[in-house]
Amino acid sequence: MRQKSGDKHTAILQAAVKVFADQGFAEAKVARIARVAGVATGSVYNYFDSKEALLHSIFQNMWSHILDALSQLAEQQDVPSTQRLERMVDAVFARFSDDTNLARVFVNEQSFWMHRWEGDLADHFRTFMDLLGRTLEDAGLCKGMDGSIQRYLVFGAVRQLIHQWADPACPFTKEEARTQILHMLRCMTSKE
Amino acid sequence: MRQKSGDKHTAILQAAVKVFADQGFAEAKVARIARVAGVATGSVYNYFDSKEALLHSIFQNMWSHILDALSQLAEQQDVPSTQRLERMVDAVFARFSDDTNLARVFVNEQSFWMHRWEGDLADHFRTFMDLLGRTLEDAGLCKGMDGSIQRYLVFGAVRQLIHQWADPACPFTKEEARTQILHMLRCMTSKE
Amino acid sequence: MRQKSGDKHTAILQAAVKVFADQGFAEAKVARIARVAGVATGSVYNYFDSKEALLHSIFQNMWSHILDALSQLAEQQDVPSTQRLERMVDAVFARFSDDTNLARVFVNEQSFWMHRWEGDLADHFRTFMDLLGRTLEDAGLCKGMDGSIQRYLVFGAVRQLIHQWADPACPFTKEEARTQILHMLRCMTSKE
Amino acid sequence: MRQKSGDKHTAILQAAVKVFADQGFAEAKVARIARVAGVATGSVYNYFDSKEALLHSIFQNMWSHILDALSQLAEQQDVPSTQRLERMVDAVFARFSDDTNLARVFVNEQSFWMHRWEGDLADHFRTFMDLLGRTLEDAGLCKGMDGSIQRYLVFGAVRQLIHQWADPACPFTKEEARTQILHMLRCMTSKE
DNA sequence: AATGAATGAGAATTCATTCAT
DNA sequence: AATGAATGAATTCTCATTCAT
């Protein structure tokens, strides 16, 4: 079953997400990605420069989706800041609940490679964290809390839930996860 | 150039932590670990069965240290539960602030390999999470909060701080990190 | 320097026979087989799973050629049994006189690996020996001779001649070897 | 259980025969030979120059035993030549029936290494074959038979029986083997 | 653009041998 | 002589990448 031409770029990307999720980047074979995508091994290199470029592209897509969604939220200045925070979490969750494999790639590979590449990926991440920090502060952190650090706590907490939730054996639903995150955020932002 | 058997086992283990931290497990070369440890390449295999076994051993050590410390805490039933929670965080932080490289290996490799191996490592982690969950519940979570999920939030938050803090460019100190974590925990466990 | 796919499979197989013959299996380097075959080292593994698989394949080919030839002979029920026996010897000789290297691999490696693998190779050998035993009995062994043991004597005798004859310094010709074998067989099967 | 000093040489040799028989020379590990011999790995090198030297020594011993026995037989000019031939076979059989492992090493490794070394081992073999050839001719080969070739047939036949007989699953006894060999020799040497 | 056979650099691992004790 | 930990050269096999078709 050959893909419609023009779809190959996407087919390869999706296959890569799946294979990277299953075996990890290091163990993933380009030949397998090609097979999963339904194209020839060599074709992968018509669309991407290298195996690493494939991963890079996955993260680029991921971040641009997320940051697009978040920048839309940021414009909604009429929405109360507490609700903006909740919607932000929802947006992040939405991205990964669509695609469990992407979630697994994200939790396993992102931080290592972001560190190695030091480029636009790190920029995206910083943008994201700044936005998260600002939103937290808008929502009003409890007394003594420092937004520049709490942003990492919140990010880490959400990241871990995504991690758990991407595991097929995860005992709780996405909805429960979301509820608990919102509980935590409310605790942290309820005035003193 | 024969070398007398000063503790090669330990030297190799430490070298491995450093090299895994710097390059990631997949990119790390056994030959480099050996060079860093100051031994011949082949000597690594006198002490460890394989590169993977080396990583496994690192995690085993890490968990047994942490769980030892925590089980001591668990016995201090006279300590108020809120304080036990704080000491637990301190114990975890202590382990990684001794050894930034270990922290980097932990955040980059642990969850992937725990998943792959499915063995004692996963058991250690479950034990740890159970302890964390119980301690959280003892400390009294806010209304609506579910200890079986909140434990992951807390773990993720702490993990992320360790991650940040292991980065040489991290803008905050370990003490600040600790303070912020404790703030968060207090928020989450203050009776409404 | 890419090379067009003239029969690489065969080229590698022949190179392997030559290198195994010259150095013995254990000393033979895959890199050298590849060089002799005129392909890249890695190409060997496009056609064979391992160095051992290469040897296995050599023996498979050898036995299937021999057994094919023999099963054709077996059908010639009109031919007197004594002559069938002689033709059998001729068929075996033919296989190895075509290819001295194969003869050397056969005498040096076959029995060791047949023992180790315990699979189809041993089956081929048993089939061969059964055929030889039956043909000997048809031809009428001398009084007191037991076909189930004499088959090994005959096989060993022929094998040794092949061995000697594969040596470049061998003082006798293939024709002389054949004559002497037939003499021996006639002695053993002449009714007294 | 440490060996009595002075016995180590022999213990190592015997262990080597066993290990070479079990795994083949190439697969045999010096460390294992040492363990089987009950000595330290390094001790092997106090008695033998190398793993190859160990094998060489095994074959030296083997041939000197055999040739000693045969040269004694050769002196018994009063014994009829036919009987001398039979006794010769008995002497060879005796050597290997004492030590099945030696038999396996002999059939698997001897000819390959004799070829490689081209030294005294080949001389021993030639001496042996000359003796065998002469004895065959003394016993009176059938018309048309050429002793210079028939010696190889006889040698190959005996070698193969030894081979079969060294296999634990061998279906016939040493006595049966001997009987059948003698039958064959009688056929070949009975005046036309 | 598409293909997939061919390439060859690279790495983990083994193990005969050495040598400090 | 005896030991066995240490050595490092050597080899199999892998796989990202290329390129002739």
Side-chain angles (χ1 to χ4, degrees):
Chain A
M1 177 187 38
R2 193 69 59 90
Q3 299 280 335
K4 267 205 297 285
S5 187
D7 246 335
K8 286 209 169 114
H9 183 92
T10 309
I12 292 168
L13 268 182
Q14 283 176 341
V17 170
K18 169 144 190 50
V19 176
F20 289 159
D22 287 348
Q23 344 234 267
F25 178 81
E27 284 289 293
K29 319 295 180 217
V30 174
R32 168 176 261 267
I33 293 173
R35 198 165 55 252
V36 170
V39 303
T41 304
S43 296
V44 172
Y45 290 87
N46 288 332
Y47 294 89
F48 301 92
D49 283 344
S50 66
K51 191 178 145 185
E52 255 187 58
L54 208 36
L55 185 64
H56 188 88
S57 192
I58 289 168
F59 284 137
Q60 281 291 2
N61 282 355
M62 184 193 80
W63 281 115
S64 71
H65 274 274
I66 290 174
L67 291 178
D68 277 1
L70 295 194
S71 65
Q72 283 180 8
L73 284 182
E75 286 166 10
Q76 306 174 339
Q77 293 298 340
D78 48 330
V79 177
S81 58
T82 334
Q83 245 184 61
R84 282 221 308 282
L85 185 58
E86 299 189 353
R87 289 194 186 169
M88 209 170 149
V89 170
D90 283 343
V92 173
F93 260 69
R95 182 75 203 114
F96 293 112
S97 61
D98 288 352
D99 190 344
T100 319
N101 287 327
L102 183 61
R104 285 157 74 198
V105 176
F106 172 64
V107 295
N108 284 326
E109 312 284 351
Q110 140 92 16
S111 61
F112 176 74
W113 291 99
M114 185 173 72
H115 205 86
R116 286 208 121 199
W117 290 330
E118 276 298 351
D120 36 16
L121 228 55
D123 292 340
H124 287 327
F125 184 66
R126 267 188 291 273
T127 305
F128 172 78
M129 290 307 283
D130 285 345
L131 207 53
L132 176 56
R134 219 168 323 121
T135 314
L136 272 174
E137 280 163 357
D138 285 356
L141 282 170
C142 292
K143 196 147 164 280
M145 281 187 167
D146 176 349
S148 70
I149 299 185
Q150 291 295 329
R151 66 179 71 172
Y152 291 111
L153 293 179
V154 173
F155 171 74
V158 174
R159 180 196 170 286
Q160 188 68 30
L161 277 198
I162 290 168
H163 191 167
Q164 296 306 128
W165 180 73
D167 184 331
C170 177
F172 49 82
T173 67
K174 189 180 56 144
E175 198 45 51
E176 288 166 334
R178 181 180 173 277
T179 309
Q180 293 297 317
I181 275 282
L182 298 187
H183 269 302
M184 189 188 81
L185 289 175
R186 264 178 222 131
C187 275
M188 293 169 65
T189 54
S190 55
K191 309 306 165 287
E192 78 279 37
Chain B
M1 176 188 30
R2 204 59 59 100
Q3 119 167 19
K4 45 177 73 80
S5 180
D7 204 349
K8 287 221 169 88
H9 184 92
T10 308
I12 292 168
L13 224 32
Q14 283 175 341
V17 170
K18 170 144 191 48
V19 176
F20 289 160
D22 287 347
Q23 342 235 264
F25 177 81
E27 282 291 295
K29 319 294 178 218
V30 174
R32 168 175 264 268
I33 294 174
R35 199 164 53 253
V36 170
V39 303
T41 304
S43 295
V44 172
Y45 292 88
N46 289 338
Y47 294 91
F48 301 92
D49 284 344
S50 65
K51 194 177 140 185
E52 252 188 63
L54 208 34
L55 185 64
H56 189 89
S57 194
I58 288 168
F59 285 136
Q60 280 292 4
N61 283 354
M62 185 194 79
W63 281 115
S64 71
H65 274 277
I66 290 175
L67 291 178
D68 277 0
L70 296 194
S71 66
Q72 282 180 7
L73 285 183
E75 287 166 11
Q76 306 174 339
Q77 294 297 341
D78 46 331
V79 177
S81 58
T82 333
Q83 242 182 65
R84 283 222 307 281
L85 184 58
E86 299 188 352
R87 289 193 187 169
M88 210 171 149
V89 171
D90 283 342
V92 172
F93 260 68
R95 182 76 203 116
F96 293 111
S97 59
D98 288 350
D99 190 343
T100 321
N101 287 326
L102 182 62
R104 287 156 74 198
V105 176
F106 172 63
V107 295
N108 285 325
E109 312 285 351
Q110 141 93 15
S111 62
F112 176 74
W113 291 99
M114 185 173 72
H115 205 85
R116 286 208 122 199
W117 290 331
E118 277 298 349
D120 36 16
L121 230 53
D123 292 339
H124 287 326
F125 184 66
R126 268 187 292 272
T127 305
F128 173 76
M129 290 306 284
D130 285 346
L131 207 52
L132 176 56
R134 221 170 320 124
T135 314
L136 273 173
E137 280 163 358
D138 285 354
L141 283 170
C142 293
K143 196 148 164 278
M145 281 187 169
D146 177 348
S148 71
I149 299 186
Q150 291 294 328
R151 65 178 69 171
Y152 291 112
L153 293 178
V154 172
F155 172 74
V158 173
R159 180 196 170 286
Q160 189 67 29
L161 278 197
I162 289 168
H163 190 167
Q164 296 307 125
W165 179 75
D167 185 331
C170 177
F172 49 80
T173 67
K174 188 180 58 145
E175 198 46 51
E176 289 167 333
R178 181 178 174 278
T179 309
Q180 293 299 316
I181 274 282
L182 298 188
H183 269 303
M184 189 188 82
L185 290 175
R186 263 176 223 132
C187 277
M188 294 170 64
T189 54
S190 56
K191 320 291 169 293
E192 74 274 41
Chain C
M1 176 186 33
R2 203 58 59 100
Q3 119 165 22
K4 44 177 75 81
S5 181
D7 202 349
K8 287 221 169 89
H9 184 92
T10 308
I12 292 168
L13 225 32
Q14 282 175 342
V17 170
K18 168 142 190 51
V19 176
F20 288 159
D22 286 349
Q23 342 235 263
F25 178 80
E27 283 291 296
K29 320 293 180 219
V30 174
R32 169 175 263 268
I33 293 172
R35 199 164 54 253
V36 170
V39 303
T41 304
S43 295
V44 172
Y45 292 89
N46 289 338
Y47 294 90
F48 301 92
D49 284 343
S50 65
K51 193 178 139 182
E52 253 187 62
L54 207 35
L55 186 63
H56 189 89
S57 192
I58 289 168
F59 285 136
Q60 281 290 4
N61 283 354
M62 184 194 80
W63 281 114
S64 71
H65 274 277
I66 290 175
L67 292 179
D68 277 1
L70 296 194
S71 66
Q72 282 180 6
L73 285 183
E75 286 165 11
Q76 306 173 339
Q77 294 298 340
D78 48 330
V79 177
S81 56
T82 334
Q83 243 183 65
R84 283 220 309 281
L85 184 58
E86 299 188 353
R87 289 192 187 172
M88 210 171 149
V89 171
D90 283 342
V92 172
F93 260 67
R95 182 75 202 116
F96 294 112
S97 61
D98 287 352
D99 190 344
T100 320
N101 287 326
L102 182 62
R104 285 156 73 197
V105 175
F106 172 64
V107 294
N108 285 325
E109 312 283 351
Q110 140 93 17
S111 62
F112 176 74
W113 292 99
M114 184 173 72
H115 205 85
R116 285 208 123 198
W117 290 331
E118 275 300 349
D120 36 16
L121 229 54
D123 292 339
H124 287 326
F125 184 66
R126 267 187 292 272
T127 306
F128 173 78
M129 291 307 283
D130 284 346
L131 206 54
L132 176 57
R134 220 169 320 125
T135 314
L136 274 173
E137 280 162 357
D138 285 355
L141 283 170
C142 293
K143 196 146 164 282
M145 281 186 167
D146 176 349
S148 69
I149 299 186
Q150 291 294 328
R151 65 179 69 170
Y152 292 111
L153 293 179
V154 172
F155 171 74
V158 174
R159 180 197 170 284
Q160 188 67 30
L161 276 198
I162 289 168
H163 190 168
Q164 296 307 127
W165 180 75
D167 184 331
C170 178
F172 49 80
T173 67
K174 188 180 58 142
E175 196 45 49
E176 288 166 334
R178 180 178 174 278
T179 309
Q180 293 299 316
I181 275 283
L182 298 188
H183 269 303
M184 189 188 82
L185 291 174
R186 263 175 223 132
C187 276
M188 293 169 66
T189 55
S190 55
K191 324 289 170 294
E192 71 265 48
Chain D
M1 176 189 40
R2 193 68 61 87
Q3 299 280 335
K4 268 206 299 285
S5 187
D7 247 334
K8 286 208 168 116
H9 184 92
T10 311
I12 292 169
L13 267 181
Q14 283 177 340
V17 169
K18 169 144 192 49
V19 176
F20 289 159
D22 286 347
Q23 344 235 267
F25 178 80
E27 284 289 292
K29 319 297 179 216
V30 174
R32 169 175 260 267
I33 293 172
R35 198 166 54 254
V36 170
V39 303
T41 305
S43 296
V44 172
Y45 290 87
N46 289 332
Y47 294 89
F48 301 92
D49 284 343
S50 66
K51 191 177 145 183
E52 255 187 59
L54 209 35
L55 185 64
H56 188 89
S57 192
I58 288 168
F59 286 137
Q60 281 292 0
N61 283 354
M62 182 194 82
W63 282 114
S64 71
H65 273 276
I66 290 174
L67 291 179
D68 277 2
L70 296 194
S71 66
Q72 282 180 9
L73 283 182
E75 287 166 10
Q76 306 172 337
Q77 293 298 340
D78 48 328
V79 176
S81 57
T82 334
Q83 244 183 62
R84 281 220 309 283
L85 184 58
E86 299 189 353
R87 289 194 185 169
M88 209 171 150
V89 170
D90 283 343
V92 172
F93 260 69
R95 182 75 203 115
F96 294 112
S97 61
D98 287 351
D99 190 344
T100 321
N101 287 326
L102 182 62
R104 286 156 74 198
V105 176
F106 172 64
V107 294
N108 284 325
E109 311 285 351
Q110 139 94 18
S111 62
F112 176 74
W113 291 99
M114 184 173 73
H115 205 86
R116 285 210 120 198
W117 291 329
E118 274 300 352
D120 36 16
L121 227 55
D123 292 339
H124 287 327
F125 183 66
R126 267 187 291 272
T127 306
F128 172 77
M129 290 307 284
D130 285 346
L131 205 55
L132 176 56
R134 220 168 322 123
T135 315
L136 273 173
E137 280 163 356
D138 285 355
L141 282 170
C142 291
K143 198 151 165 273
M145 282 187 168
D146 177 349
S148 70
I149 299 186
Q150 292 295 329
R151 65 177 73 170
Y152 291 112
L153 293 179
V154 173
F155 171 74
V158 174
R159 180 195 171 285
Q160 189 68 29
L161 276 198
I162 289 169
H163 190 168
Q164 297 305 127
W165 180 74
D167 185 331
C170 178
F172 49 80
T173 66
K174 189 180 58 144
E175 197 45 49
E176 287 166 334
R178 180 178 173 278
T179 309
Q180 292 298 317
I181 274 282
L182 297 187
H183 268 303
M184 188 187 84
L185 289 174
R186 263 176 224 132
C187 275
M188 293 169 66
T189 55
S190 56
K191 309 304 166 288
E192 77 277 35

